Amino acid sequence: MSELLSIQNLEVSLKNPLNDKQGRVLRGISLKLDKGKRVALVGESGCGKSMTALSILSLLPQPPMEITGGTIRFKDKDISHLTQEEWEAIRGKDIGIVFQDPITSLNPVFTVGIQIEETLRKHLGLSKPEARQSALNLLTQMGLPDPARVIDQYPHQLSGGMCQRVMIAIAVACGPALLIADEPTTALDVTVQAQILDLVFKLTQQNKMAVLLITHDLRIVKGHADRVVILYAGEVMEEGTPNDIFEHAQHPYTEGLLASMPQFDSRGHDLASIGGVVPSPFESLTGCAFSGRCSKVKEKCRVEKPTFVVNETGHGVRCFYPSEK
């Protein structure tokens, strides 16, 4: 299986404009994604998941953020330092993205049809009539009712679920090799979430797209990912197959995330939780980043930084005292 995306030791810094203090949002992330495969990036809010996605597409708010280390390779090309013109040729065509909030991601002053057609005309060179017909076909494929009506409507005239289907249509319109789905169901009703996820995975499977799925919900991951990367405080804590993570979790943070998942037989019992909060990017972390919240912490964890160790099966963990299951 050929490699599509490779991130090595990616570091992203954040500068506080009030006092020029430097923080670290990503602290040396490495991950790989092969063509047609699905990798899930999982962790709490503030762990750096969305910043990883924005880094890949060179969409970090600069300032106050900037990439200060590492490399990002896509289709065996270093894309860390492309020009704006080069990025405009890649975004939408080779890499598509679906953001968290579909309503704010769409332009409120243009109809959804114009927004889909713009992508098709820019990257595929279609004429206006061809782009409109393709946009209609895409809206039909997205399962939108009465696409001939929807194509001439504005985002505020559609529900959140409908807007997210439009966003997915824009993201997959040109058949990108990679689709980044950044918490695509967070802003939607529970009843709509499953429909949107099913649509995303159906489309990517049909078109053989690779998917980087960003989520804090491990339930999504189990049946829809080839690899799972557990992120905490801008560092990869554990990585493996869904079976590795769900049946043989080794890092205490991963175990905490799994324990906090609601179970069908847990009615009447308190949900487990991980005490404390994710450290700020401006905190100077000594030792393991999770040591301040870990129930298994030892003195070594507070003073030494563990390395990321991968076993012979490809299951990796950053912990001095991993669980043995």
Side-chain angles (χ1 to χ4, degrees):
M1 185 63 64
S2 54
E3 192 173 274
L4 179 68
L5 176 72
S6 175
I7 300 174
Q8 292 294 326
N9 300 315
L10 179 64
E11 295 185 0
V12 172
S13 295
L14 168 68
K15 182 176 285 188
N16 187 329
L18 299 178
N19 55 21
D20 284 340
K21 187 177 180 182
Q22 198 85 0
R24 297 174 70 199
V25 179
L26 301 182
R27 306 169 190 262
I29 284 181
S30 296
L31 64 86
K32 293 181 180 180
L33 179 55
D34 290 333
K35 291 179 180 179
K37 293 295 184 180
R38 299 171 181 168
V39 170
L41 197 56
V42 183
E44 296 169 275
S45 296
C47 285
K49 305 186 300 298
S50 293
M51 293 304 106
T52 302
L54 294 178
S55 298
I56 294 169
L57 284 164
S58 191
L59 291 176
L60 288 171
Q62 298 178 333
M65 293 185 184
E66 64 175 333
I67 295 176
T68 50
T71 59
I72 304 171
R73 298 188 70 84
F74 178 71
K75 291 185 174 180
D76 206 29
K77 178 182 179 181
D78 190 341
I79 59 172
S80 307
H81 306 288
L82 298 183
T83 65
Q84 186 62 31
E85 186 178 350
E86 289 172 321
W87 268 117
E88 286 180 4
I90 292 175
R91 296 190 197 114
K93 184 180 181 183
D94 294 317
I95 305 177
I97 185 166
V98 181
F99 292 105
Q100 294 184 29
D101 190 344
I103 294 176
T104 59
S105 299
L106 292 168
N107 193 321
V109 302
F110 293 108
T111 64
V112 298
I114 288 175
Q115 296 184 62
I116 300 172
E117 291 164 28
E118 179 186 23
T119 298
L120 292 164
R121 296 182 70 186
K122 177 180 176 64
H123 294 297
L124 301 184
L126 300 185
S127 66
K128 194 167 184 179
E130 290 172 334
R132 182 173 176 86
Q133 185 57 53
S134 293
L136 272 170
N137 294 340
L138 279 164
L139 291 175
T140 302
Q141 192 179 6
M142 297 304 118
L144 281 159
D146 196 2
R149 175 181 57 85
V150 171
I151 196 170
D152 292 318
Q153 290 188 307
Y154 293 86
H156 74 270
Q157 295 176 293
L158 306 178
S159 68
M162 293 173 77
C163 283
Q164 193 62 297
R165 289 174 188 269
V166 172
M167 276 298 302
I168 295 168
I170 295 171
V172 304
C174 299
L178 171 61
L179 178 67
I180 300 174
D182 185 4
E183 304 254 19
T185 61
T186 297
L188 305 178
D189 294 339
V190 174
T191 52
V192 181
Q193 290 181 359
Q195 298 171 13
I196 295 297
L197 286 171
D198 286 344
L199 176 62
V200 168
F201 295 127
K202 178 184 175 183
L203 289 170
T204 53
Q205 187 171 23
Q206 285 177 348
N207 299 301
K208 297 181 180 179
M209 296 179 197
V211 182
L212 180 63
L213 173 64
I214 295 171
T215 182
H216 61 269
D217 189 349
L218 275 167
R219 291 171 300 179
I220 297 172
V221 171
K222 197 165 188 180
H224 296 296
D226 298 297
R227 303 282 297 175
V228 182
V229 178
I230 305 294
L231 202 63
Y232 182 78
E235 295 180 1
V236 175
M237 292 294 159
E238 188 163 3
E239 180 186 345
T241 64
N243 183 65
D244 290 335
I245 300 301
F246 283 89
E247 305 299 332
H248 308 284
Q250 294 186 342
H251 199 283
Y253 180 58
T254 308
E255 293 176 325
L257 291 176
L258 291 169
S260 64
M261 290 173 58
Q263 304 295 328
F264 288 113
D265 58 356
S266 62
R267 186 173 180 177
H269 299 280
D270 292 338
L271 288 174
S273 63
I274 304 172
V277 295
V278 179
S280 159
F282 296 101
E283 287 187 43
S284 179
L285 300 179
T286 303
C288 175
F290 190 60
S291 61
R293 304 173 70 189
C294 183
S295 59
K296 301 177 182 179
V297 65
K298 294 180 172 57
E299 186 58 29
K300 182 178 182 179
C301 309
R302 302 184 193 279
V303 296
E304 292 184 38
K305 184 179 177 64
T307 57
F308 191 75
V309 179
V310 182
N311 67 17
E312 63 279 0
T313 67
H315 186 176
V317 64
R318 187 186 302 277
C319 183
F320 289 122
Y321 309 102
S323 299
E324 297 180 5
K325 293 186 180 179

